Amino acid sequence: MVQSETLPRPPEAGRGGHAVPPGHPENIAEPRTGRHRAGKGADGKRDLPEVDPSRMHVTVLVPAHNEEDQIAETMTSLHGQRRRPNRVIVIADNCTDRTAEIARAHGAEVIRTVGNRHKKAGALNQVLEVLLPQLGSRHAVLVMDADSALDPGFIHHAVLRLATGELAAVGGTFTGKPGGGMVGMFQRNEYARYARDVRRLRGKALVLTGTATLFRALALKEVVRARRGGRLPGRDQVYDVRVLTEDNELTLALLHLRFRILCPAECTLTTEVMETWKDLFKQRLRWKRGALENLTDYGWTRVTLPYWGRQLLSLIGIIVIFAYLGATAWSIAVTGTLNFHPLWVAVTGVFMVERIVTVRSRGGRQMAVAALLFVEMIFDVFLQIAQAKAFWDAAWRRERKW
C-alpha cells in the first residue's frame, strides 16, 4: 500500500518519449521497426517485442530514505538526460527529513510507503504492485539509488539497447563521488577497476547493480508470474524481500528465466562512497553474505555455476592473502629480518603491476599511490576480512542483518 494521488495514471509513450493520450493514433497499434522480436532467440535465450526507441516510455523509480543531501543532485541528473524520462517517482520510505519536499521542488512525483519493514525492496514492491499492471511492451522502468547521478547519455543509450528486444535489462557502471578521505579514495579506485573489467567483457557483468538499471516492464511482469508459480524463489513480487542483496537476486531471477542482460560502456553514473571504515565494512559484509545466500537459494544450476566459481576464487584469495601475511610475519618473528622468498616476490610483483595498470583511468597520481604496495594492501586486507566474516556467518547461518 502506498500514499499517492498520482500513481494510478497509466503512462503511454509517444514519439520522442513524450506522453500522449490513450486514444492518440500513435497508441492504437504496436509500433514496428522491421523485425518484431518475440519468443526464443538462436542462443536459446528469450527475446521481447521490438519497439521503436522514440516511443518507449521510461518511468524512473527512486527509493529514498532520508536522502535530503543527495536527492537534488539525483533529480538534476535526470533533468539533464539527453533522452529525458517520461515520469519520475521518488519513493519516500519512512523519511523524517526534507527528501520528499526537495524531490517535489525538482518536479518529481512523491509516493510515501505505508508500513514498509523491508527497506529498499519493500518500498519498490509497494509501488510496482500498483504500477506494473498498467505497463506493456513499450514501457521500461529505471530503478536507481537516491545517492546516484546518471551521466547525460545513460537513458538514451539504455533505451536504444532495450528497444531491440534482445535484452530484458540494461545496467550501469559507476564511479565514486568525492569524499570519504582515504577510504573514499580506495573505493573510487575499486570502482574504476570494476568499470574496466566490465568494458573488457563488453558489458557482460554478472550483476545488475541497484545504482541504476533500466528494465523492460514485460520482464519484471514475468518475474512476478514466475515467483507466483514457484519457478523462482520469493513471494509474487518483483523483489524478494527476504534477501540482503535484492539487486543480485533479481539478476539471478532474470537469468534463470533465460533473459539477457548487459551493462554497456555508454551507461555510466556516479554514486556515493562509504565515508567511514565501519560503514564500508557493513556494506561489504552485506553484499558478500547476500550473494552467498542468493546462490544457496537458487542452488547449483547452469546460471549459478560461474557465480559459484567466483565465490571459490574469492575464498582462495582469502587463503592466499593471509598465507602471504602469515609467511611474512613468521619470517620477521623467527629471523628478525624480512626474507624474500621467490614465490612471494613473484606474487608481490604481479599484485603491484595489476594495481597500477587497473587505475590508469584515474590518472598518474592514483597510479603512484597504487605503486605503494602497502597502501593498497590495507584496503585489500580489509575487504578480505569482510569477506571472510561473510563466509563464516553464512556457514553458521547467523541472522541476516542490514
Side-chain angles (χ1 to χ4, degrees):
M1 183 177 182
V2 293
Q3 292 180 344
S4 173
E5 297 178 356
T6 60
L7 185 61
R9 172 170 63 88
E12 288 293 343
R15 295 195 181 278
H18 302 294
V20 297
H24 191 281
E26 290 185 1
N27 287 326
I28 293 175
E30 183 69 37
R32 297 181 182 273
T33 59
R35 282 184 308 159
H36 186 76
R37 304 183 63 90
K40 186 181 292 187
D43 59 356
K45 299 295 179 67
R46 296 172 63 174
D47 293 327
L48 292 167
E50 186 178 10
V51 179
D52 183 338
S54 68
R55 299 179 67 183
M56 183 171 280
H57 187 287
V58 177
T59 299
V60 181
L61 299 183
V62 186
H65 173 69
N66 291 343
E67 294 285 357
E68 64 179 8
D69 294 335
Q70 303 278 349
I71 197 67
E73 183 182 2
T74 302
M75 294 298 103
T76 299
S77 79
L78 290 170
H79 292 312
Q81 288 296 295
R82 175 179 171 185
R83 201 300 196 173
R84 293 182 64 175
N86 301 81
R87 193 178 187 188
V88 177
I89 300 173
V90 171
I91 309 170
D93 181 35
N94 300 314
C95 289
T96 58
D97 65 358
R98 297 177 61 249
T99 296
E101 179 184 339
I102 295 171
R104 285 195 192 96
H106 283 79
E109 297 176 38
V110 174
I111 297 171
R112 294 184 181 275
T113 58
V114 177
N116 177 40
R117 296 180 293 105
H118 299 294
K119 298 186 181 290
K120 177 182 174 182
L124 286 165
N125 281 340
Q126 284 194 9
V127 173
L128 286 167
E129 283 178 359
V130 179
L131 179 66
L132 208 52
Q134 307 171 47
L135 308 185
S137 62
R138 298 178 189 170
H139 296 89
V141 178
L142 173 63
V143 178
M144 65 179 294
D145 285 343
D147 58 9
S148 295
L150 304 183
D151 291 334
F154 188 104
I155 294 179
H156 169 76
H157 290 292
V159 165
L160 290 180
R161 296 276 189 165
L162 279 191
T164 65
E166 295 180 356
L167 301 171
V170 172
T173 53
F174 50 88
T175 55
K177 293 182 179 180
M182 177 174 282
V183 67
M185 177 200 72
F186 282 136
Q187 290 168 84
R188 286 185 286 276
N189 284 351
E190 178 190 24
Y191 294 165
R193 291 183 174 110
Y194 171 77
R196 178 179 181 272
D197 289 343
V198 173
R199 286 194 301 271
R200 292 179 67 191
L201 293 172
R202 298 182 180 181
K204 295 180 180 179
L206 291 177
V207 178
L208 296 166
T209 72
T211 54
T213 296
L214 185 66
F215 299 92
R216 286 288 293 265
L218 294 181
L220 296 182
K221 286 185 169 185
E222 180 60 24
V223 169
V224 175
R225 283 193 292 269
R227 294 199 199 281
R228 184 179 297 126
R231 291 181 289 138
L232 292 175
R235 295 170 51 192
D236 54 346
Q237 297 174 309
V238 172
Y239 288 94
D240 188 348
V241 297
R242 304 169 304 124
V243 303
L244 294 173
T245 46
E246 67 283 336
D247 306 307
N248 185 72
E249 194 281 333
L250 182 55
T251 302
L252 291 175
L254 291 170
L255 293 176
H256 276 89
L257 293 174
R258 303 193 316 279
F259 286 121
R260 304 182 195 87
I261 63 173
L262 196 70
C263 294
E266 302 88 354
C267 294
T268 54
L269 66 144
T270 57
T271 193
E272 186 182 31
V273 297
M274 297 294 102
E275 296 195 348
T276 67
W277 290 103
K278 180 180 179 180
D279 288 341
L280 180 62
F281 189 86
K282 288 171 61 179
Q283 179 196 63
R284 298 313 170 88
L285 180 61
R286 179 172 64 85
W287 285 2
K288 190 67 174 184
R289 173 82 183 273
L292 290 169
E293 290 175 343
N294 291 158
L295 290 177
T296 301
D297 285 344
Y298 279 88
W300 188 266
T301 69
R302 287 186 177 183
V303 171
T304 60
L305 180 59
Y307 292 82
W308 282 115
R310 287 177 69 88
Q311 298 307 323
L312 177 60
L313 289 176
S314 176
L315 184 59
I316 292 173
I318 293 172
I319 295 171
V320 169
I321 194 70
F322 286 108
Y324 177 84
L325 295 175
T328 302
W330 178 259
S331 173
I332 294 173
V334 172
T335 67
T337 60
L338 182 59
N339 296 321
F340 295 98
H341 189 283
L343 172 63
W344 295 121
V345 170
V347 170
T348 302
V350 170
F351 183 78
M352 182 180 295
V353 171
E354 187 270 340
R355 298 283 93 180
I356 296 171
V357 170
T358 53
V359 293
R360 283 186 299 177
S361 64
R362 296 262 291 138
R365 182 178 179 181
Q366 294 305 319
M367 292 176 68
V369 171
L372 300 173
L373 186 61
F374 70 92
V375 176
E376 288 276 328
M377 186 68 77
I378 293 172
F379 187 63
D380 200 60
V381 171
F382 175 85
L383 294 183
Q384 297 290 8
I385 292 172
Q387 293 192 67
K389 188 176 189 311
F391 276 114
W392 178 266
D393 289 349
W396 290 97
R397 297 188 177 277
R398 293 186 174 178
E399 182 183 358
R400 307 179 185 188
K401 294 180 180 180
W402 265 67

